[in-house]
Amino acid sequence: MGYHAGDYDVIVIGAGHAGCEAALASARMGCSTLLLTINLDMVAFMPCNPSIGGPAKGHVVREIDALGGEMGRNIDKTYIQMRMLNTGKGPAVHALRAQADKFSYQHKMKETIEATDNLTLRQGMAEELIVEDDVCKGVITKTGAEYYAKAVVLTTGTYLRGKVIMGELMYESGPNNQQPSVKLSESLRKLGLELVRFKTGTPPRVHKDTIDFDKTEIQPGDAEPKFFSYETKEGVPDQLPCWLTYTSEQTHDIINSNLHRAPMFSGAIEGTGPRYCPSIEDKIVRFADKPKHQIFLEPEGRNTSEYYVQGLSTSMPEDVQLNILRSIPGLERVEMMRTGYAIEYDAVVPTQLKPSLETKLVSGLFTAGQINGTSGYEEAAGQGIMAGINAARKVQEKEAVILDRSEGYIGVLIDDLVTKGTNEPYRLLTSRAEYRLLLRHDNADLRLTPIGHEIGLITDERYETFLNKKNLVEQEIERLKTTKVRPEPEVQQILESVGSVQLNNAVDVLSLLRRPEVEYRHVEQMSASPLELTDEMKEQVEIQVKYAGYIEKQLAQVDRLRKMEKKKIPDDIEYSDIHGIATEAKQKLAKIRPVSIGQASRISGVTPADISILLVYLEHYNRVTAARG
């Protein structure tokens, strides 16, 4: 028999990267929040790679921090290596990546959650949602505990009907041999939610003392690391290196001769895997012409001998995995500590969600993370903070916060999911963002901190610091416009040293900084600023000045987008009544039920001609409605 175990404003089910952000956001916004997880020892666990960030993903972590989330602060406390990637390219694709001490990362996040007001962390297996009249009222656990709430956020990761696959061996399991969640999956199906089967995988872990590092290339961290959180002032003193090696001809022979035992090719795996993170057997088959593939050896923490073999994700049988490992330079005598595996799980078809991440079918039920068909800790956390914010806003009877595609990678991610859906585990890439020059690593605070402050996740003190930075950057750009330098010997010498054209007469400093070869440090030598600017502020000045023309063009495009987003589509539109729209477009529009013309225009299968007809129909519809009103 069940029993009444408690009442909350918001319940978050699952304490992975999405669940932690959702619960912290909700609690910090003043809602009494319950965070329910199968195992308290697995809070913020990293079942796959022990790292945070990278292209597009690092941008998301900065955005989470700019909104007042935790992932950036937590990795800054617990990293063992920090590197800025793509520094040889433009600022739009600069991306920070950190190797985590995975155990320290978990413990620090759990400490933060346990110390947060309004937040209760509890162990329990959620098995059934309490839904009355299409409104989610709470959850029932395996032990019969009934928890009630005004909003529920599902962040179940890869646990829903999880199945681990290793060669011929298959068994029901969550990641890392945790219990899977079976009955909750059935509960979602009964509610009418459409589920799909996806797959992800992880490589084997090996013992550090059995690696011959002399046969590999060292990959150190940055000498002066940057950080994910705008609040971090000091880094970790001693960084640990990663190591690079490659697969060999022998590796490829072993895999090719054992393909009949590979679940991917034998039909044992029914779930769709991630295209951008394929297994090693998939890579060998798909890129048969490539003689070798990169393999990174990454420490899992300071106090463990386990190394993660990045690039060797596999579901091959255990004996084949060991042979593969020992065919790689540096790993000839390696000992495997954990076997790699594939895991299949149920995911919700994300086109069933509103842009707020609330399900269209059940009011008050939100989903975030891998349950929505994404891959990656960062994508999960980005959805988690937005679902937590919007669950809290629903309880507080306030309007949902929806980031558009020009405000953040989080906006791109969620819009892609709810508008286009995904037929494979979705990974965020910089190429998915049409406004990526606006969505840079360096300016996440300028884009999102005002929103974080307005909703109560950014403190007044932090907001004042942010406003001071913003003002100083604006003042310095204004100073550069109005300050002139003359063709004096020291100025000419600096220009000559960087291969820049020398001056014939006085010129404003801003014009000099616009030259590609001239950096802020050069103009600083010519005309030192009286303002107290940090390195971060100087970087911001340089980027805003150098890319001003491109940024203005993208902002003009954003204005056009905003006009489309402002044209709202009423909930009760019957698309079947609209003459002239193609049948496919009618079906897609009726299924996704876009909230605006902007969202409608991004649905695959909906053409510009369909949008023109829809606009005409809306004008008529609004006139008729106004006349009736």
Side-chain angles (χ1 to χ4, degrees), residues 217-257:
E217 297 169 37
I218 193 166
Q219 306 283 301
D222 291 341
E224 291 184 26
K226 299 209 170 171
F227 307 115
F228 280 104
S229 176
Y230 287 92
E231 293 186 314
T232 306
K233 298 291 178 266
E234 281 185 22
V236 172
D238 51 331
Q239 298 189 61
L240 301 183
C242 296
W243 306 83
L244 171 64
T245 182
Y246 295 87
T247 57
S248 67
E249 197 177 318
Q250 190 191 351
T251 315
H252 298 213
D253 289 343
I254 292 166
I255 290 167
N256 283 321
S257 59

Side-chain angles (χ1 to χ4, degrees), residues 262-273:
M264 274 206 64
F265 300 103
S266 66
I269 290 179
E270 54 172 303
T272 308

Side-chain angles (χ1 to χ4, degrees), residues 125-138:
M125 167 81 80
E127 292 203 330
E128 190 182 344
L129 296 172
I130 302 166
V131 176
E132 296 167 15
D133 300 323
D134 298 329
V135 177
C136 193
K137 299 287 181 73

Side-chain angles (χ1 to χ4, degrees), residues 243-482:
W243 306 83
L244 171 64
T245 182
Y246 295 87
T247 57
S248 67
E249 197 177 318
Q250 190 191 351
T251 315
H252 298 213
D253 289 343
I254 292 166
I255 290 167
N256 283 321
S257 59
N258 282 283
L259 286 177
H260 62 287
R261 298 183 67 195
M264 274 206 64
F265 300 103
S266 66
I269 290 179
E270 54 172 303
T272 308
R275 182 189 319 190
Y276 299 101
C277 187
S279 66
I280 188 65
E281 51 268 35
D282 194 19
K283 277 194 267 194
I284 300 301
V285 171
R286 273 168 52 191
F287 308 108
D289 56 322
K290 273 197 145 189
K292 60 182 184 179
H293 294 273
Q294 285 187 330
I295 302 291
F296 289 95
L297 304 172
E298 303 175 343
E300 293 228 313
R302 293 185 186 279
N303 304 307
T304 176
S305 292
E306 281 188 80
Y307 265 61
Y308 180 89
V309 188
Q310 170 79 14
L312 209 77
S313 181
T314 183
S315 57
M316 283 287 205
E318 190 169 87
D319 57 310
V320 178
Q321 290 193 33
L322 187 57
N323 289 336
I324 290 169
L325 283 168
R326 289 181 174 172
S327 70
I328 292 167
L331 305 183
E332 292 88 351
R333 287 185 295 281
V334 84
E335 290 297 336
M336 184 162 63
M337 295 179 74
R338 298 185 204 228
T339 315
Y341 60 86
I343 184 167
E344 280 189 352
Y345 55 95
D346 285 348
V348 168
V349 174
T351 50
Q352 298 169 104
L353 307 174
K354 298 175 183 176
S356 63
L357 295 179
E358 184 180 21
T359 62
K360 295 170 187 172
L361 211 57
V362 180
S363 178
L365 176 63
F366 296 77
T367 61
Q370 280 186 273
I371 189 176
N372 287 345
T374 56
S375 66
Y377 311 142
E378 304 84 358
E379 288 92 336
Q383 293 170 71
I385 192 169
M386 297 314 296
I389 288 167
N390 287 326
R393 300 274 291 185
K394 188 170 183 85
V395 169
Q396 294 162 351
E397 297 181 353
K398 293 176 181 171
E399 203 177 318
V401 174
I402 293 158
L403 301 181
D404 70 38
R405 298 179 72 89
S406 65
E407 288 178 306
Y409 273 92
I410 296 172
V412 172
L413 163 68
I414 293 172
D415 184 62
D416 277 354
L417 289 173
V418 304
T419 305
K420 298 171 185 170
T422 184
N423 53 14
E424 62 186 40
Y426 176 102
R427 180 179 181 174
L428 203 51
L429 308 163
T430 49
S431 59
R432 294 192 195 270
E434 57 272 56
Y435 307 114
R436 57 184 173 276
L437 190 53
L438 301 180
L439 310 182
R440 304 184 309 275
H441 166 92
D442 61 87
N443 71 347
D445 59 339
L446 296 171
R447 291 183 275 122
L448 298 175
T449 294
I451 296 171
H453 181 250
E454 193 184 325
I455 59 182
L457 289 178
I458 294 285
T459 62
D460 289 344
E461 185 186 7
R462 179 168 168 183
Y463 192 58
E464 283 302 315
T465 304
F466 158 75
L467 288 177
N468 181 53
K469 171 189 167 178
K470 187 169 178 278
N471 291 336
L472 282 171
V473 168
E474 287 168 2
Q475 282 177 47
E476 177 61 358
I477 291 172
E478 202 50 47
R479 185 190 77 83
L480 295 177
K481 273 184 199 169
T482 54

Side-chain angles (χ1 to χ4, degrees), residues 51-299:
S51 70
I52 296 284
K57 292 167 175 280
H59 293 66
V60 168
V61 183
R62 284 285 267 189
E63 290 173 4
I64 291 165
D65 182 73
L67 286 165
E70 199 59 33
M71 183 176 255
R73 280 190 286 240
N74 205 57
I75 186 62
D76 285 352
K77 291 177 204 164
T78 58
Y79 73 87
I80 53 179
Q81 187 192 103
M82 192 76 80
R83 285 182 83 179
M84 183 66 83
L85 308 178
N86 300 330
T87 50
K89 299 177 182 175
V93 291
H94 289 181
L96 198 57
R97 184 177 187 270
Q99 288 297 129
D101 184 317
K102 66 188 283 184
F103 308 105
S104 179
Y105 185 92
Q106 275 183 270
H107 298 150
K108 283 286 181 199
M109 187 66 86
K110 186 165 178 273
E111 271 177 32
T112 299
I113 286 164
E114 289 169 342
T116 298
D117 293 341
N118 305 317
L119 183 49
T120 303
L121 176 63
R122 195 159 293 165
Q123 185 164 294
M125 167 81 80
E127 292 203 330
E128 190 182 344
L129 296 172
I130 302 166
V131 176
E132 296 167 15
D133 300 323
D134 298 329
V135 177
C136 193
K137 299 287 181 73
V139 63
I140 305 170
T141 71
K142 193 172 191 170
T143 56
E146 294 175 3
Y147 296 102
Y148 289 86
K150 296 162 193 163
V152 172
V153 185
L154 283 183
T155 65
T156 51
T158 61
Y159 282 80
L160 287 185
R161 282 202 316 125
K163 184 205 278 185
V164 161
I165 302 159
M166 248 183 268
E168 299 88 354
L169 175 67
M170 291 184 207
Y171 55 93
E172 286 196 345
S173 175
N176 218 47
N177 287 330
Q178 292 300 300
Q179 291 182 70
S181 173
V182 178
K183 289 196 175 173
L184 188 57
S185 206
E186 290 165 15
S187 176
L188 295 177
R189 282 184 201 277
K190 279 182 196 162
L191 290 173
L193 285 163
E194 189 188 343
L195 305 181
V196 287
R197 199 83 175 139
F198 278 170
K199 171 199 87 88
T200 187
T202 188
R205 314 304 199 267
V206 298
H207 198 293
K208 173 189 177 182
D209 296 345
T210 63
I211 300 169
D212 183 351
F213 289 107
D214 290 340
K215 293 183 179 176
T216 66
E217 297 169 37
I218 193 166
Q219 306 283 301
D222 291 341
E224 291 184 26
K226 299 209 170 171
F227 307 115
F228 280 104
S229 176
Y230 287 92
E231 293 186 314
T232 306
K233 298 291 178 266
E234 281 185 22
V236 172
D238 51 331
Q239 298 189 61
L240 301 183
C242 296
W243 306 83
L244 171 64
T245 182
Y246 295 87
T247 57
S248 67
E249 197 177 318
Q250 190 191 351
T251 315
H252 298 213
D253 289 343
I254 292 166
I255 290 167
N256 283 321
S257 59
N258 282 283
L259 286 177
H260 62 287
R261 298 183 67 195
M264 274 206 64
F265 300 103
S266 66
I269 290 179
E270 54 172 303
T272 308
R275 182 189 319 190
Y276 299 101
C277 187
S279 66
I280 188 65
E281 51 268 35
D282 194 19
K283 277 194 267 194
I284 300 301
V285 171
R286 273 168 52 191
F287 308 108
D289 56 322
K290 273 197 145 189
K292 60 182 184 179
H293 294 273
Q294 285 187 330
I295 302 291
F296 289 95
L297 304 172
E298 303 175 343

Side-chain angles (χ1 to χ4, degrees), residues 538-563:
K538 291 171 186 178
E539 178 191 44
Q540 196 54 237
V541 168
E542 183 165 342
I543 290 169
Q544 287 191 30
V545 169
K546 281 198 183 302
Y547 294 90
Y550 299 106
I551 290 168
E552 278 162 26
K553 275 182 192 165
Q554 290 212 339
L555 288 171
Q557 289 174 314
V558 169
D559 279 345
R560 289 196 288 276
L561 168 83
R562 292 246 162 91
K563 283 171 190 156

